[in-house]
């Protein structure tokens, strides 16, 4: 990382909160405080958040959130994410609480109705990467399409402090395609977690081969006669869904949100954070605050 350049850590808040919640909810550890509020998701979120800040030492930090399940994608395709269950009842009160905790760190919470956190992350990352090194912290591989010269993606692995850091180079080494081609890859493959089908019968292996050979969807469609009979029939049958899936897969990078760097400077006030921890009845998190001795 370029030391003289500012570095902005963009956190996918939902990815961290859900991961933390489910890691403990399975065994019923909801950590209900004296006010009757479950706090397990927020507690784990803070651990993930502070471990990453300590590991990557960014100068600036912001957290992005989904703002409800209705977005421009659900308007385009009724089935989009329709397979996802309602949020568990113990998690619901933690959505507001986690944002209060982020505020206690003087870190901006960013989200916009009608768009997903990914779209906010993409928009801010593109703009900020002109002046800063951008690091995106998430558990979601979809965000790899945003990789660029000054944009890296930190994928959370099992446990705390285990990361897989991707750059444009490592992505190409692993997949043999560019990050931008990942949008077309998902258009062919579909996405079971987001619940859109892509082209039925075309999996990752075939899709990667097609994109390595013909570069993008248009290239494949222009060269259908070179494909096997089976591949051609599948694509022709699902042509409309292929185009729709590409629109669903692409992260929008022109959403009306902004995060000026000066508002995202990470200058944690330790007392303010500890006060919030005490109010929520968090124990054992203070030690995670000691990585930056110069902060008040």
């Amino acid at each position: 990382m370029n030391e003289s350049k500012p570095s902005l850590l963009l956190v996918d808040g939902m990815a961290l909160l859900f991961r933390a919640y489910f890691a403990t909810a399975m065994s019923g550890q909801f950590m209900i405080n004296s006010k009757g509020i479950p706090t397990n998701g927020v507690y784990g979120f803070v651990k993930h958040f502070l471990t990453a800040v300590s590991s990557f030492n960014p100068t600036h930090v912001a957290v992005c959130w989904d703002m409800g399940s209705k977005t421009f994608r659900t308007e385009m395709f009724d089935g989009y994410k329709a397979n996802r269950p309602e949020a568990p009842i113990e998690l619901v009160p933690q959505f507001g609480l986690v944002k209060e905790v982020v505020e206690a760190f003087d870190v901006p919470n960013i989200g916009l109705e009608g768009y997903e956190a990914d779209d906010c992350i993409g928009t801010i990352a593109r703009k900020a990467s002109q002046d800063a090194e951008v690091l995106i912290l998430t558990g979601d591989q979809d965000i790899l399409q945003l990789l660029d010269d000054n944009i890296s993606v930190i994928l959370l692995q099992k446990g705390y402090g285990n990361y897989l850091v991707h750059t444009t180079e490592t992505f190409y080494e692993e997949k043999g395609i560019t990050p931008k081609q990942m949008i077309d890859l998902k258009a062919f493959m579909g996405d079971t977690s987001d619940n859109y089908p892509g082209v039925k019968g075309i999996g990752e292996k075939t899709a990667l081969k097609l994109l390595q050979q013909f570069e993008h969807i248009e290239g494949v469609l222009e060269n259908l006669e070179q494909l096997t009979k089976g591949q051609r029939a599948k694509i022709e049958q699902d042509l409309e869904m292929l185009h729709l899936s590409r629109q669903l897969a692409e992260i929008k990078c022109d959403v009306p949100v902004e995060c000026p760097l000066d508002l995202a400077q990470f200058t944690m006030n330790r007392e303010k954070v500890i006060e919030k921890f005490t109010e929520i009845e968090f124990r054992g998190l203070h030690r995670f605050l000691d990585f930056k001795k110069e902060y008040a």
Side-chain angles (χ1 to χ4, degrees):
M1 200 185 289
N2 185 335
E3 288 301 321
S4 60
K5 228 182 189 186
S7 55
L8 170 64
L9 179 69
L10 285 174
V11 178
D12 179 348
M14 287 299 179
L16 267 65
L17 183 67
F18 272 85
R19 176 176 286 251
Y21 173 83
F22 285 110
T24 47
M26 303 310 281
S27 52
Q29 297 168 295
F30 296 117
M31 294 176 64
I32 294 165
N33 66 16
S34 65
K35 300 178 190 78
I37 299 169
T39 58
N40 63 318
V42 183
Y43 188 93
F45 171 93
V46 172
K47 268 177 74 174
H48 276 305
F49 175 81
L50 289 174
T51 305
V53 169
S54 166
S55 302
F56 297 96
N57 200 16
T59 54
H60 298 71
V61 183
V63 183
C64 294
W65 301 98
D66 293 337
M67 304 293 279
S69 55
K70 291 224 178 315
T71 66
F72 73 94
R73 290 183 182 87
T74 49
E75 283 172 27
M76 278 162 63
F77 179 54
D78 273 352
Y80 185 73
K81 290 192 178 178
N83 55 340
R84 299 215 176 167
E86 289 285 303
I89 193 126
E90 293 87 358
L91 183 56
V92 174
Q94 300 189 56
F95 289 133
L97 191 61
V98 71
K99 289 178 187 160
E100 286 177 32
V101 173
V102 171
E103 275 170 30
F105 280 98
D106 294 317
V107 165
N109 283 306
I110 297 164
L112 187 64
E113 273 187 36
Y115 297 96
E116 292 179 43
D118 286 6
D119 303 310
C120 297
I121 289 170
T123 301
I124 294 162
R126 282 271 180 274
K127 192 158 190 230
S129 66
Q130 295 163 24
D131 309 299
E133 296 278 343
V134 178
L135 302 158
I136 301 170
L137 178 67
T138 183
D140 183 359
Q141 302 241 359
D142 293 355
I143 282 186
L144 292 170
Q145 65 181 263
L146 298 174
L147 286 166
D148 214 336
D149 289 347
N150 289 329
I151 302 174
S152 312
V153 173
I154 305 162
L155 288 175
L156 294 159
Q157 304 296 291
K158 227 175 164 49
Y160 290 93
N162 298 321
Y163 309 107
L164 178 62
V165 181
H166 263 304
T167 60
T168 46
E169 290 81 16
T170 62
F171 181 81
Y172 187 81
E173 276 166 32
E174 190 180 301
K175 298 282 191 196
I177 57 171
T178 64
K180 201 165 171 40
Q181 284 175 292
M182 189 176 169
I183 302 164
D184 288 14
L185 177 68
K186 288 194 66 185
F188 278 116
M189 286 168 55
D191 186 319
T192 47
S193 75
D194 287 344
N195 201 43
Y196 57 87
V199 176
K200 279 189 196 71
I202 290 198
E204 183 173 25
K205 207 172 156 188
T206 305
L208 281 171
K209 214 166 130 191
L210 292 174
L211 292 171
Q212 285 158 2
Q213 196 174 351
F214 302 113
E215 205 178 326
H216 39 58
I217 285 172
E218 286 72 28
V220 174
L221 296 179
E222 281 161 21
N223 293 282
L224 281 176
E225 72 287 346
Q226 291 188 44
L227 273 50
T228 67
K229 213 170 156 186
Q231 289 169 350
R232 187 175 171 169
K234 285 168 189 165
I235 290 169
E236 284 174 340
Q237 195 177 332
D238 274 337
L239 202 52
E240 209 174 307
M241 185 45 82
L242 174 65
H243 289 300
L244 178 59
S245 294
R246 175 157 64 176
Q247 285 180 279
L248 295 170
E250 184 166 12
I251 292 173
K252 271 183 90 63
C253 293
D254 57 357
V255 170
V257 291
E258 52 179 40
C259 178
L261 271 183
D262 55 343
L263 294 183
Q265 188 143 13
F266 191 65
T267 52
M268 180 179 73
N269 177 333
R270 202 169 182 277
E271 290 315 305
K272 187 175 173 182
V273 172
I274 287 175
E275 206 174 294
K276 194 72 193 171
F277 286 179
T278 307
E279 180 199 318
I280 301 168
E281 299 167 29
F282 277 166
R283 289 175 193 87
L285 281 181
H286 299 42
R287 63 196 162 92
F288 286 93
L289 299 173
D290 293 333
F291 58 90
K292 287 267 185 175
K293 298 294 182 195
E294 69 269 28
Y295 291 149

